[in-house]
Amino acid sequence: VVSDAGNWCLIESDPGVFTDLIHKFGVKGVQVEEIWSLDDDSFINLKPVHGLIFLFKWQQEEQPSGTVVQDNRLDKIFFAKQVDDKQCLCHTSNPINIAQLKACGPTAGIYTQQTLFEFDKQQPSEDDDVFHFVGYIPIEGRLYELDGLKDGPIDLGPIPPGTDWLTVVQPVIQRRIQKYSEGEIHFNLMAIVSDRKMVIERSITQLQREIEESEGDTSSQEEELARLRVTLETEETKRTRWQIENIRRKHNYLPLIVNMMKILAEEGKLLPIYHNAREKARARHEKSKE
Amino acid sequence: METIVYSGVTLEIPSEICQDISLLFEIISPDTWNNHLTDEHREMLMGFLPEFPHNDLEEKTRTLEMFFMDENFRYGTPLRIFHEQLCKGFFNPEISKMRAIHKKIMYREYRYRQKQYFHHTLEEVLVRRKRVLDIVSN
């Protein structure tokens, strides 16, 4: 039992920090992106999605959504149990590889010999509580929920062959979002996706080296290089667009709505517009009755 | 009437809006924006949009368009989220007071359950440690 919080790393619920953490584990080629809706559209740009991380401010008592795995599947699934109260952390001494990392969704922090991350050293106050994390991943044709506060991975049932696992996890997440929106619990949803940009950049560097070292004809390599540069540019444009979308989505639009109404009310226009709208609605209603 | 108290603004809104969201979409609409507001109003309201590092004005215009056209921002559109909150009494001072109390109680219950969980886990760990120590000493 670890009592000294100094040995633990605290991390923020930010996709950039998560990505960094994953890279420091030595896992390459993946990154974490925040997602804002469960529409198929929002997943298209991200696919393939290796896992989802659902994080929320605090947890109410709830019925387990499936059965806790206790059989020999545990040999293949890496599951870390949360052992420290205040920091929402989990404890693991196992070496980490990609398969394990995929299963390590619910970890808010990882115990390591060297401290990888040291943010927020203060104890969270009552209003400023830390987040709890739950991971969702497909393992060998079944969907699992990994919650560090549970006794083991939770089996959420099979993923029918030929089906994208995202379609299976969607209703599960949807239910959670619904519940947490109603309870005003803050939550984020993040996806572990392939970092295509990094893969392309690496291929470019390698090709450049090959061209430099080669003494013969390099036209085919140069062609490939040009193609990769175009793909890289597309990825970069995509990322810039992402940043803009994130700014747009993180914004609070309530002041805009309320102030627009306030101006209309002050100008004596709110009620006339409202009555007009009601007339229109009534006319529409009459029309649909006919 | 539904009462809205939000960041220093107090408004009374007909509660019929809760039965029919289209009424809200008519009030907060491109038509209202274009025909019922002055340039000063529009400029002032634009200040409530997010700041963008590049092409700020262009992005703000696009954001406004998405806002009016009910495009998905984040698990719903700003207007739909507002509508839901309004109808649940989110902006009503009485209701929000009760809600805050409710939240506090739920939080306490959560802390209690957390404590139980960690107590249980601690026991488990101690039992396991003992078992390991026994194996080693034998």
Side-chain angles (χ1 to χ4, degrees):
Chain A
V1 179
V2 179
S3 56
D4 179 12
N7 290 334
W8 298 90
C9 326
L10 296 175
I11 65 170
E12 287 176 342
S13 53
D14 173 82
V17 176
F18 268 81
T19 305
D20 216 18
L21 178 69
I22 288 175
H23 289 173
K24 290 215 168 111
F25 285 157
V27 181
K28 300 292 176 209
V30 292
Q31 59 171 5
V32 179
E33 285 294 340
E34 194 162 2
I35 49 179
W36 310 87
S37 90
L38 289 172
D39 303 343
D40 288 338
D41 288 359
S42 55
F43 280 129
I44 284 172
N45 278 335
L46 294 171
K47 277 180 185 176
V49 176
H50 307 298
L52 292 173
I53 302 169
F54 193 94
L55 55 141
F56 42 94
K57 200 86 187 263
W58 45 271
Q59 192 183 30
Q60 288 162 275
E61 180 63 6
E62 55 182 60
Q63 294 297 316
S65 28
T67 51
V68 173
V69 177
Q70 274 158 340
D71 51 39
N72 63 6
R73 278 177 289 171
L74 284 177
D75 299 342
K76 286 187 182 165
I77 304 173
F78 173 83
F79 183 79
K81 238 175 142 177
Q82 185 177 321
V83 297
D84 192 356
D85 166 0
K86 294 254 167 33
Q87 275 94 15
C88 179
L89 295 165
C90 80
H91 174 218
T92 163
S93 51
N94 299 32
I96 286 165
N97 62 38
I98 176 109
Q100 287 175 323
L101 182 93
K102 277 173 147 189
C104 200
T107 59
I110 303 290
Y111 179 67
T112 50
Q113 258 106 27
Q114 296 163 302
T115 305
L116 287 177
F117 286 87
E118 247 178 289
F119 289 94
D120 217 344
K121 275 250 165 144
Q122 299 134 351
Q123 296 290 313
S125 72
E126 192 150 320
D127 329 313
D128 189 30
D129 199 33
V130 280
F131 284 84
H132 179 63
F133 301 72
V134 174
Y136 290 94
I137 53 157
I139 305 167
E140 297 185 336
R142 297 186 79 82
L143 177 66
Y144 293 95
E145 177 187 311
L146 303 165
D147 180 342
L149 289 178
K150 299 277 160 64
D151 287 328
I154 295 162
D155 184 356
L156 296 178
I159 300 160
T163 334
D164 190 337
W165 76 280
L166 290 173
T167 56
V168 183
V169 76
Q170 233 164 24
V172 180
I173 304 259
Q174 196 73 59
R175 271 198 297 278
R176 255 200 142 117
I177 289 178
Q178 182 90 34
K179 205 173 112 195
Y180 291 173
S181 308
E182 272 169 17
E184 281 178 66
I185 297 169
H186 295 275
F187 64 89
N188 283 54
L189 186 58
M190 299 193 289
I192 299 173
V193 298
S194 297
D195 186 350
R196 295 202 198 93
K197 199 177 151 222
M198 211 178 72
V199 175
I200 300 166
E201 274 169 351
R202 193 170 299 161
S203 316
I204 287 179
T205 325
Q206 205 193 329
L207 266 176
Q208 277 170 334
R209 198 177 312 135
E210 277 174 29
I211 290 169
E212 268 168 36
E213 285 166 7
S214 153
E215 309 206 326
D217 179 27
T218 56
S219 60
S220 69
Q221 274 119 315
E222 263 156 37
E223 228 170 80
E224 174 69 4
L225 195 63
R227 195 189 62 80
L228 282 175
R229 286 207 169 113
V230 174
T231 327
L232 183 65
E233 209 172 296
T234 322
E235 280 301 314
E236 272 164 1
T237 327
K238 205 168 83 183
R239 213 154 283 191
T240 322
R241 212 183 52 227
W242 237 336
Q243 273 170 359
I244 292 171
E245 279 173 15
N246 279 356
I247 294 175
R248 186 173 285 141
R249 283 160 169 162
K250 281 199 174 130
H251 191 72
N252 175 13
Y253 291 88
L254 276 173
L256 174 67
I257 298 171
V258 173
N259 280 288
M260 190 163 160
M261 286 192 169
K262 184 187 158 206
I263 290 175
L264 291 171
E266 278 168 358
E267 299 284 308
K269 286 178 171 167
L270 188 61
L271 281 179
I273 294 173
Y274 168 72
H275 285 302
N276 196 6
R278 213 169 56 169
E279 278 312 307
K280 269 198 206 165
R282 194 167 293 158
R284 257 203 317 273
H285 190 64
E286 291 293 315
K287 212 172 174 187
S288 65
K289 256 196 209 161
E290 277 167 19
Chain B
M1 292 300 239
E2 292 291 335
T3 313
I4 300 180
V5 178
Y6 184 77
S7 69
V9 180
T10 308
L11 280 171
E12 296 272 326
I13 299 286
S15 27
E16 222 179 308
I17 285 177
C18 288
Q19 277 103 57
D20 187 355
I21 195 172
S22 79
L23 296 174
L24 180 68
F25 286 133
E26 291 276 349
I27 296 170
I28 309 288
S29 67
D31 180 54
T32 307
W33 180 264
N34 293 325
N35 305 320
H36 296 281
L37 295 173
T38 63
D39 281 343
E40 288 93 74
H41 290 150
R42 279 191 282 265
E43 203 176 303
M44 192 268 234
L45 289 173
M46 285 292 261
F48 291 111
L49 288 169
E51 295 284 331
F52 294 91
H54 309 289
N55 311 326
D56 189 46
L57 191 64
E58 197 183 303
E59 291 298 342
K60 276 194 166 111
T61 314
R62 168 84 189 110
T63 308
L64 202 63
E65 207 177 281
M66 285 175 72
F67 169 76
F68 283 131
M69 297 327 283
D70 199 30
E71 279 185 45
N72 192 4
F73 277 50
R74 181 180 190 166
Y75 313 113
T77 77
L79 276 180
R80 282 180 197 273
I81 294 169
F82 169 75
H83 184 258
E84 203 185 314
Q85 289 178 332
L86 173 73
C87 302
K88 280 185 181 159
F90 191 86
F91 305 107
N92 182 308
E94 279 302 304
I95 298 177
S96 60
K97 207 163 94 191
M98 295 308 285
R99 202 196 305 268
I101 295 169
H102 178 234
K103 208 169 159 183
K104 216 169 170 179
I105 293 167
M106 289 212 302
Y107 184 80
R108 270 195 204 143
E109 196 191 319
Y110 153 75
R111 293 301 291 177
Y112 172 70
R113 302 232 180 248
Q114 286 275 79
K115 277 201 187 113
Q116 271 189 326
Y117 169 83
F118 288 117
H119 181 75
H120 171 76
T121 314
L122 178 66
E123 273 177 356
E124 221 172 68
V125 170
L126 289 176
V127 168
R128 276 193 207 159
R129 189 175 68 172
K130 177 146 195 325
R131 211 179 297 152
V132 172
L133 288 175
D134 286 349
I135 293 169
V136 172
S137 59
N138 289 335

